[in-house]
Amino acid sequence: MGGITRRELIAGVAALAATAAPLRARAGHQRGGAARAIQTVTGPLAPERLGLTLMHEHLLVDFIGADQVSPSRYDAAQVFAVVLPYLTAVRALGCETLVDCTPAYLGRDAALLKRLSEASGVTILTNTGYYGAAKDKHLPRHAFTETAEQLATRWTGEYERGVDGTGIRPAFMKIGVDDAPLSEVDAKLVRAAAITSRATGLPIASHTSTGAAAMAEIDLIAAAGLPASAFIWVHAHNERDGAFHARAAKAGAWVEFDGISDGSLARHVELVGGMKAQGLLGRTLVSHDAGWFHVGEPGGGQFRPFDTLFTKFVPALTAAGFTRADVRQLLADNPRRALSGEI
Ligand SMILES: [Zn+2]
């Protein structure tokens, strides 16, 4: 791109990492003075050590549905062999942390993530929570019968004791909703997430395809007494009306444009540029929503790498007038603040 060499690119990204500002410790929305440690798949980490972070990616996904999903549907050794080179490649580009957004009942495999983190040197985060988008295909039966409080007890238990018997603790919640008006079960998932966030400090990343649904979620979160900064609007780029992005960000929520690909560079530069022009860069997150090993497809199907953000998007931002500080804010400071519960 634009004559920039790979060597210059890597030097630039490395300089971004090296100049990351020291964390000024601030209270999370959880009570207490010091910033909460981030629970990575390999153990707790100080938030300022997350570094350059991809906020929304997937290493493995199984779309078969909650009633059939199972680790027996894939060979973990094969997945490990397929995925590792992509992590090694993005680590070489300067990426330090990858947030894996595959929830329970869609193939969340924390033990596999831990092995991949150890082998690649990329810090990986996993999640608790349930995904109510896609017309509830990925919700377990008990999500319909239990109360928000009961679901929150399950998710808080995962935060305290780890997921799926691994002892590996989640760093955030991943939920999902269909469009507004929110269905009864979708609204319940948001309320359960708010209860869990109040107990644990975990942020709530929610797959949300429209601005109307995002605003409904933000209202529920406010009604539960949480700051909107506990909420990450996942897939915000799918909403065409930019007024929703500004409204959500001004309310204090995180607005995540996580569809970066070769074909969407201009659109994502425009989206992030619009936020900057309105003074809302401090509420903006970016990522690819790329990957992954597709369970059920031969060899895991077509894996989309995690490199476009580093090799093409950052140079495109620079060409559009973004400063190094702006880029560092997007890739390091904002993820750290969103994940550590800084208001
Ligand atoms: Zn995703």
Side-chain angles (χ1 to χ4, degrees), residues 224-289:
L226 275 178
S229 57
F231 181 75
I232 302 169
W233 174 6
V234 170
H235 307 328
H237 55 282
N238 288 336
E239 170 58 62
R240 306 304 300 189
D241 182 354
F244 278 113
H245 302 143
R247 266 175 71 194
K250 285 176 184 163
W254 292 98
V255 178
E256 184 175 278
F257 304 124
D258 48 31
I260 293 174
S261 68
D262 285 5
S264 72
L265 283 178
R267 161 91 173 135
H268 276 73
V269 170
E270 182 190 314
L271 285 165
V272 176
M275 296 297 270
K276 186 187 171 188
Q278 297 174 83
L280 298 173
L281 199 61
R283 286 288 163 211
T284 307
L285 298 166
V286 290
S287 208
H288 306 95
D289 195 14

Side-chain angles (χ1 to χ4, degrees), residues 51-343:
L52 299 188
T53 298
L54 289 174
M55 278 299 291
H56 188 112
E57 310 294 342
H58 299 274
L59 301 189
L60 174 149
V61 182
D62 187 350
F63 288 111
I64 190 74
D67 47 353
Q68 290 182 70
V69 72
S70 158
S72 67
R73 285 178 31 83
Y74 56 89
D75 172 2
Q78 183 196 18
V79 180
F80 180 89
V82 167
V83 175
L84 181 59
Y86 295 102
L87 289 173
T88 307
V90 80
R91 182 70 193 86
L93 287 171
C95 174
E96 292 160 275
T97 297
L98 181 145
V99 180
D100 186 89
C101 289
T102 298
Y105 301 99
L106 271 153
R108 180 187 66 183
D109 186 335
L112 176 62
L113 298 184
K114 181 179 183 208
R115 287 180 56 217
L116 284 163
S117 177
E118 288 167 347
S120 65
V122 176
T123 298
I124 296 178
L125 311 182
T126 190
N127 62 82
T128 184
Y130 296 159
Y131 182 89
K135 307 249 182 289
D136 306 328
K137 181 184 177 191
H138 305 289
L139 288 178
R141 214 156 283 228
H142 65 253
F144 297 95
T145 57
E146 294 187 357
T147 64
E149 289 75 13
Q150 287 172 309
L151 296 175
T153 299
R154 288 178 183 265
W155 300 348
T156 302
E158 290 201 328
Y159 174 70
E160 289 169 348
R161 294 183 291 278
V163 304
D164 304 327
T166 61
I168 296 168
R169 298 172 66 188
F172 65 106
M173 272 172 275
K174 171 71 185 294
I175 64 170
V177 299
D178 291 308
D179 199 0
L182 298 183
S183 69
E184 191 181 327
V185 72
D186 286 354
K188 182 166 69 178
L189 295 176
V190 179
R191 289 201 310 276
I195 296 165
T196 305
S197 185
R198 287 182 62 174
T200 63
L202 294 185
I204 304 159
S206 180
H207 169 114
T208 305
S209 48
T210 69
M215 296 315 297
E217 292 177 276
I218 291 168
D219 286 347
L220 285 172
I221 282 166
L226 275 178
S229 57
F231 181 75
I232 302 169
W233 174 6
V234 170
H235 307 328
H237 55 282
N238 288 336
E239 170 58 62
R240 306 304 300 189
D241 182 354
F244 278 113
H245 302 143
R247 266 175 71 194
K250 285 176 184 163
W254 292 98
V255 178
E256 184 175 278
F257 304 124
D258 48 31
I260 293 174
S261 68
D262 285 5
S264 72
L265 283 178
R267 161 91 173 135
H268 276 73
V269 170
E270 182 190 314
L271 285 165
V272 176
M275 296 297 270
K276 186 187 171 188
Q278 297 174 83
L280 298 173
L281 199 61
R283 286 288 163 211
T284 307
L285 298 166
V286 290
S287 208
H288 306 95
D289 195 14
W292 50 78
F293 188 101
H294 299 66
V295 176
E297 295 184 22
Q302 187 71 40
F303 199 106
R304 188 155 69 88
F306 308 115
D307 59 352
T308 307
L309 189 149
F310 298 98
T311 58
K312 294 180 180 165
F313 185 64
V314 169
L317 286 180
T318 305
F322 278 65
T323 65
R324 178 168 287 191
D326 292 335
V327 174
R328 197 190 67 219
Q329 181 175 14
L330 270 177
L331 300 189
D333 299 346
N334 289 351
R336 183 200 74 232
R337 289 170 54 219
L339 290 163
S340 66
E342 288 181 50
I343 301 293

